[in-house]
Amino acid sequence: KHIVANGKVYFSPENKGTLPPVEIHIVKRTVYAKNEAAKSFLESIGVKQFDDKAIIELRLERYQSSPEQVDDSYYEDIKQFIAYWKKNPEEKTFFQAHSFLLGSSNDKLYWQKPTELCLDNPFLETGLSELVEIHQKKVIWQRYSENLNETELKDFVEFSKAIGVVYKLEIIQLNNEDAKKNPNNPYNSYEYNWTYTGCARDYSILELEKYLTAKKVSASRLVWNALINATISTAHRASFQPNKKYGEQTVNSQLVYH
């Protein structure tokens, strides 16, 4: 059968006892077994190895139906995802492209990507569920705690954190345009011509002003923890230089300003 390599075409499994799911296509081993050029060509047009990663990817793509229809097989998949991540911790970004985790908002469930969610009780006391209007993340579904045992739940929390579920605030280096907005920027005027030779280096916490004005203990705690656990030793300073014509000047960062 002739088909188009559309992301679900694979080489024959190395383990002959492995039975691929019916919704994918397998290239016959005889097509490429003794021809490296043929195999290289197939790889170039998107044919993949049918290995553990392929199996996990196919499972990740299953979650298109209503999240209200989750059954026990979903939690078995979650355990398989965690097991794969523990063996391949460098593959954390692989999970970030898929909407396979359940988030709740206003008593409704949604399939979400990891970076679209935040952790809070009963998994980890962060206070983020009180601050959804600031960070705009949905809260990860509480029912995971009812369908995983103690060890599995601990692994689930670590897995969630590793693949990008928000559980804390972090000090970050701002992009050039946001850095230039620093009220202390000595070159914050239209008379200066910013070129590729210039630099605008500044640090803050995303939505810091909103957290500081929220007047909630949870917000204050999150900001404080971000400060005392900062890994950037120069986060209190910002540096600006529009081009080589002007000298670099150092001022308080937006983190300090706010």
Side-chain angles (χ1 to χ4, degrees):
K1 180 179 180 180
H2 292 92
I3 59 170
V4 176
N6 63 355
K8 289 190 178 182
V9 183
Y10 299 86
F11 294 108
S12 296
E14 293 297 325
N15 183 352
K16 294 182 180 180
T18 301
L19 294 176
V22 295
E23 68 267 21
I24 70 170
H25 300 286
I26 298 294
V27 178
K28 290 183 178 180
R29 192 180 301 275
T30 53
V31 173
Y32 61 87
K34 296 181 180 180
N35 189 332
E36 283 300 319
K39 187 172 184 179
S40 295
F41 170 72
L42 291 168
E43 289 175 335
S44 72
I45 63 172
V47 179
K48 305 174 184 178
Q49 296 291 339
F50 189 75
D51 51 16
D52 289 345
K53 184 174 181 178
I55 294 171
I56 293 295
E57 186 169 27
L58 288 169
R59 289 183 178 179
L60 285 168
E61 293 173 354
R62 288 169 47 181
Y63 299 105
Q64 306 296 328
S65 60
S66 170
E68 306 291 345
Q69 299 174 6
V70 167
D71 57 23
D72 290 344
S73 65
Y74 171 67
Y75 298 103
E76 291 305 312
D77 279 354
I78 289 293
K79 294 172 191 177
Q80 289 299 314
F81 299 156
I82 294 171
Y84 179 81
W85 162 72
K86 291 176 78 171
K87 290 180 181 178
N88 306 275
E90 73 284 356
E91 292 275 18
K92 59 185 180 181
T93 55
F94 165 67
F95 290 96
Q96 293 174 351
H98 299 277
S99 299
F100 71 99
L101 290 174
L102 287 165
S104 62
S105 177
N106 298 321
D107 297 322
K108 291 185 178 180
L109 289 179
Y110 302 86
W111 291 118
Q112 300 290 138
K113 294 178 181 178
T115 55
E116 297 170 336
L117 293 167
C118 69
L119 274 170
D120 205 344
N121 288 324
F123 310 100
L124 195 66
E125 187 176 354
T126 65
L128 287 166
S129 61
E130 298 179 10
L131 303 162
V132 171
E133 70 280 1
I134 298 177
H135 55 69
Q136 299 294 304
K137 311 288 182 184
K138 289 183 173 60
V139 182
I140 207 159
W141 195 33
Q142 293 186 0
R143 290 282 298 276
Y144 286 107
S145 63
E146 300 171 19
N147 290 275
L148 300 170
N149 65 37
E150 185 176 350
T151 300
E152 292 166 346
L153 191 59
K154 181 179 178 181
D155 286 343
F156 175 73
V157 170
E158 294 306 311
F159 171 64
S160 299
K161 290 161 64 175
I163 63 175
V165 176
V166 175
Y167 64 99
K168 63 180 179 179
L169 299 185
E170 293 184 280
I171 295 172
I172 61 167
Q173 181 172 336
L174 302 174
N175 62 48
N176 277 0
E177 293 308 309
D178 286 340
K180 291 175 189 176
K181 295 174 184 176
N182 187 326
N184 294 318
N185 177 4
Y187 300 113
N188 192 13
S189 168
Y190 291 111
E191 68 182 275
Y192 299 104
N193 180 33
W194 288 82
T195 70
Y196 73 94
T197 62
C199 77
R201 187 179 301 109
D202 198 1
Y203 303 91
S204 190
I205 294 169
L206 288 178
E207 305 292 358
L208 177 58
E209 288 182 81
K210 292 181 180 179
Y211 284 110
L212 292 176
T213 57
K215 296 181 180 179
K216 291 184 178 180
V217 173
S218 54
S220 299
R221 184 186 298 115
L222 283 161
V223 171
W224 174 249
N225 285 336
L227 294 174
I228 63 175
N229 294 305
T231 58
I232 305 173
S233 60
T234 57
H236 60 291
R237 294 196 300 269
S239 301
F240 298 98
Q241 182 181 21
N243 54 58
K244 292 298 183 182
K245 179 182 176 180
Y246 300 94
E248 180 176 328
Q249 293 202 39
T250 301
V251 297
N252 284 340
S253 68
Q254 292 186 52
L255 181 68
V256 174
Y257 176 83
H258 292 300

